[in-house]
Amino acid sequence: MKAILHLLKFSFFAVLCLGIQGCKNNESEKSDRYKKPNIVFILVDDLGLHDLSVTGSTFYETPNVDRIAKEGMIFTQGYAASRVCSPSRASIMLGKFTARHGITDWIGAASGTDWRKHGRHDKLLPAEYNHSLPAGDVSLAEALRAEGYQTFFAGKWHLGNEGSYPEEHGFTINRGGWEKGSPIGGYFSPWENPKLPNKTDGENLSMRLAKETANFIKQQKDSTFFAFLSFYAVHGPIQTSEPKWQKYRDKAEAQGIAERGYEMERVLPIRIVQDNPIYGGLVEAMDEAVGLVLKALSDAGLEENTIVVFTSDNGGVASGDAFSTSNLPLRGGKGYQWEGGIREPYFIKVPWLKNNGAENDFPVTGADFYPTLLDLAGIELLPEQHQDGISLKPILEGEEIDVDRPLFWHYPHYGNQGGNPSSVIRQKNWKLIHYWEDGSEELYNLDTDIGEQSNVLDQHPEIAKSMSDTLLGWLKEVEANMPEKDIEFNAELAQKRHEDMVTKRLPALEAQRMEFLSEDFQPNPDWWGSKLTKD
């Protein structure tokens, strides 16, 4: 720790001049606006780009999250650093792309020959990967803590087992963060979480995490703090209360229930409509929890000196897991190599900049949060740490930045949602996908084909080759782990599995969808435990 603190001993501005007529010299005249800014970082699990009303959903209702967007800046081309959770979360904490820090799959996923136990009959054995946040790195929380910030974490961690919990990576307080990536025991108390004791049967998990965050804000209102609220929502298993289910069931009926809710993607069926009333209720509960935290900032008089970030760790779950939502017009979803798997809500509210919902289309990534927040706080950047992130402060201040950088994604795994082992590069409006099963590639022009329906590689071979060379060269430079061919691959068994997806899984999902929308749907007598309390 002493070595880290020594490394991070940089100067910072003790007083921020926030766009008013000069800085006052008289200490007695200084207001809270001159302190280093507080930071509230809100990360939602598995939330798709179009799972918010502010980003185009006509089914889900998210007024509190919408408020963050409308009072801040909306980055319309915001990306998660990975198509699944742990790698993306590590990139937020470290400011590096996934191939560089080595956490390339969700921690706990099978790799190597262990993958065969799933009976998937895939061509490759997924690559090995790091199973915890590297201890030698300086996390965002550690960097802020070294500059006097009080640090707090609530919710999903999933960046290592005991010994690599939030407490070991810069967070003084941890409420609910451990190795598990889903809400063990469900979204209503009693849940199973050694870092979040049960208090009241039936308590909503998202609201409990928000209350813990709000209490921290209240306790630290006279200090400077970094609060990281990392919801388990909206990860499966999806659950909601009966009143919220009823609201969204009725809304789906009023909007007109589509005849079909799914179609086949390459490997699995994929949802093509937003009409899941259980998921709708889960999204709304998350939004209500966000509202509680925003109210805590207002009640404490801290709104004008608190940066608020809102984003997700990967695309919405359209295949696999709970088949919760549709990401259209984006193709795919969580686990996929297409835009639906990596394009995210990406909002930054810096209250003194008065962005008021301004939209910016510069491509940004989860690795950019680290240097951006340091820069906004007047803290010297750590370029040797956040090697792949850039500060977005100039953009937030209304300037254009002349940075032509490639974005990289590396996922040498299969996952649970139907995506293929592949690596991706984006440069300007071009996106190239390199597939590891056979070395094939796809090239898309995102300006004209946001749904990635037209592979234009043959029409632009020079662009494709240049991008492929850059991608493969970068992966070699960072010594990225790679998958291997499975010598036991059986093509006949793989084909049989695919046929079962078409003839059995697809109709079963359609039947389940109609069950969720039926008037007499009831998952169990107490609605997943939500009826255990009157609260």
Side-chain angles (χ1 to χ4, degrees):
M1 180 59 71
K2 289 183 179 179
I4 294 175
L5 292 175
H6 179 72
L7 176 66
L8 293 172
K9 196 172 182 180
F10 296 99
S11 61
F12 59 87
F13 297 112
V15 176
L16 291 177
C17 185
L18 306 179
I20 61 174
Q21 297 178 357
C23 295
K24 302 181 187 299
N25 294 320
N26 191 326
E27 289 291 331
S28 64
E29 296 179 354
K30 291 179 182 176
S31 71
D32 286 344
R33 291 178 299 173
Y34 292 85
K35 293 167 51 181
K36 285 183 296 181
N38 303 307
I39 301 168
V40 173
F41 196 115
I42 302 173
L43 178 63
V44 185
D45 196 14
D46 291 354
L47 186 78
L49 174 60
H50 300 300
D51 285 352
L52 304 169
S53 42
V54 73
T55 53
S57 177
T58 59
F59 187 62
Y60 312 125
E61 298 177 17
T62 54
N64 295 296
V65 175
D66 295 352
R67 177 186 158 198
I68 298 172
K70 292 174 181 178
E71 294 178 355
M73 179 169 283
I74 301 170
F75 289 86
T76 59
Q77 298 194 57
Y79 287 98
S82 177
R83 63 183 85 169
V84 295
C85 57
S86 297
S88 179
R89 291 162 181 270
S91 291
I92 290 172
M93 290 294 172
L94 303 179
K96 298 178 180 180
F97 291 145
T98 62
R100 192 186 298 276
H101 61 61
I103 302 176
T104 51
D105 205 356
W106 60 273
I107 294 174
S111 57
T113 56
D114 286 344
W115 184 249
R116 293 175 184 151
K117 297 176 184 178
H118 290 297
R120 287 272 305 265
H121 312 295
D122 291 314
K123 293 180 180 180
L124 301 177
L125 297 175
E128 302 296 336
Y129 61 93
N130 290 339
H131 283 239
S132 62
L133 206 62
D137 279 76
V138 178
S139 75
L140 173 59
E142 287 172 325
L144 291 171
R145 184 175 173 180
E147 295 292 333
Y149 276 77
Q150 301 299 313
T151 55
F152 169 90
F153 184 91
K156 175 173 172 173
W157 178 245
H158 207 186
L159 288 173
N161 296 335
E162 190 169 1
S164 186
Y165 282 173
E167 301 93 314
E168 282 74 47
H169 295 282
F171 291 99
T172 303
I173 300 172
N174 172 22
R175 299 286 186 263
W178 61 319
E179 61 262 31
K180 301 298 184 181
S182 61
I184 307 300
Y187 282 101
F188 300 96
S189 180
W191 46 69
E192 299 174 30
N193 188 319
K195 295 292 185 176
L196 193 70
N198 290 280
K199 291 184 176 179
T200 304
D201 286 352
E203 182 179 22
N204 180 274
L205 177 59
S206 296
M207 189 58 72
R208 170 64 179 280
L209 294 173
K211 288 177 180 177
E212 295 285 351
T213 306
N215 288 338
F216 171 79
I217 289 170
K218 180 179 179 180
Q219 293 165 4
Q220 299 295 331
K221 68 177 183 177
D222 295 323
S223 65
T224 305
F225 59 81
F226 172 48
F228 199 109
L229 173 54
S230 175
F231 286 109
Y232 282 94
V234 288
H235 193 288
I238 59 172
Q239 299 173 350
T240 192
S241 64
E242 184 176 13
K244 282 185 168 55
W245 166 82
Q246 187 71 58
K247 171 183 175 178
Y248 286 97
R249 185 262 164 208
D250 293 347
K251 188 171 185 177
E253 184 175 59
Q255 291 182 345
I257 297 174
E259 182 178 345
R260 290 190 309 123
Y262 295 89
E263 63 183 18
M264 277 301 300
E265 244 307 342
R266 288 181 181 172
V267 177
L268 288 177
I270 192 165
R271 180 178 274 271
I272 57 174
V273 293
Q274 291 184 347
D275 65 0
N276 186 329
I278 304 171
Y279 186 72
L282 182 59
V283 170
E284 182 174 287
M286 176 276 297
D287 183 77
E288 290 172 346
V290 169
L292 182 72
V293 173
L294 297 181
K295 184 177 185 300
L297 289 173
S298 177
D299 290 347
L302 298 175
E303 278 189 303
E304 294 304 309
N305 195 46
T306 301
I307 298 164
V308 180
V309 172
F310 181 92
T311 193
S312 175
D313 60 352
N314 49 248
V317 182
S319 287
D321 300 348
F323 291 86
S324 304
T325 192
S326 169
N327 299 293
L328 291 175
L330 304 181
R331 185 176 181 182
K334 178 183 179 180
Y336 282 94
Q337 58 273 14
W338 299 301
E339 293 292 280
I342 54 178
R343 191 80 77 98
E344 301 303 325
Y346 197 114
F347 313 143
I348 303 177
K349 176 188 173 183
V350 186
W352 58 90
L353 294 181
K354 308 298 182 184
N355 292 126
N356 297 323
E359 296 186 356
N360 188 280
D361 63 0
F362 181 82
V364 295
T365 175
D368 294 332
F369 288 120
Y370 194 139
T372 298
L373 292 173
L374 292 189
D375 209 3
L376 288 168
I379 299 171
E380 189 171 348
L381 301 188
L382 305 174
E384 294 302 312
Q385 174 57 53
H386 45 75
Q387 297 179 49
D388 298 309
I390 62 172
S391 173
L392 306 179
K393 181 182 177 183
I395 294 177
L396 291 162
E397 293 178 335
E399 302 174 14
E400 294 185 3
I401 57 176
D402 185 19
V403 177
D404 182 18
R405 57 155 180 181
L407 301 180
F408 297 105
W409 293 264
H410 181 56
Y411 192 71
H413 312 281
Y414 283 100
N416 305 321
Q417 298 83 25
N420 303 98
S422 53
S423 297
V424 178
I425 178 175
R426 172 169 176 170
Q427 287 183 296
K428 295 184 178 179
N429 58 307
W430 297 104
K431 176 179 175 182
L432 181 131
I433 305 172
H434 181 94
Y435 290 94
W436 295 109
E437 285 186 335
D438 57 8
S440 63
E441 294 181 334
E442 296 169 357
L443 180 69
Y444 298 103
N445 184 337
L446 297 179
D447 277 357
T448 59
D449 182 23
I450 192 62
E452 295 169 285
Q453 297 298 310
S454 300
N455 178 8
V456 295
L457 187 141
D458 290 342
Q459 292 97 300
H460 302 279
E462 293 182 358
I463 292 175
K465 184 179 187 308
S466 175
M467 292 180 69
S468 180
D469 289 347
T470 300
L471 172 62
L472 299 180
W474 185 80
L475 292 172
K476 182 177 181 181
E477 175 189 333
V478 299
E479 300 180 338
N481 290 339
M482 296 294 176
E484 298 178 356
K485 291 189 179 299
D486 188 351
I487 60 174
E488 297 184 12
F489 170 68
N490 187 312
E492 292 183 2
L493 291 176
Q495 180 60 29
K496 176 63 168 57
R497 181 176 183 272
H498 179 73
E499 292 172 358
D500 286 345
M501 289 297 163
V502 176
T503 61
K504 297 179 181 179
R505 190 69 183 277
L506 182 58
L509 285 167
E510 291 286 10
Q512 182 192 61
R513 170 175 167 258
M514 298 311 296
E515 178 188 1
F516 290 168
L517 290 165
S518 66
E519 293 182 353
D520 57 355
F521 172 71
Q522 184 180 30
N524 61 348
D526 64 10
W527 280 79
W528 295 295
S530 64
K531 287 188 173 182
L532 296 178
T533 181
K534 295 181 181 180
D535 292 344

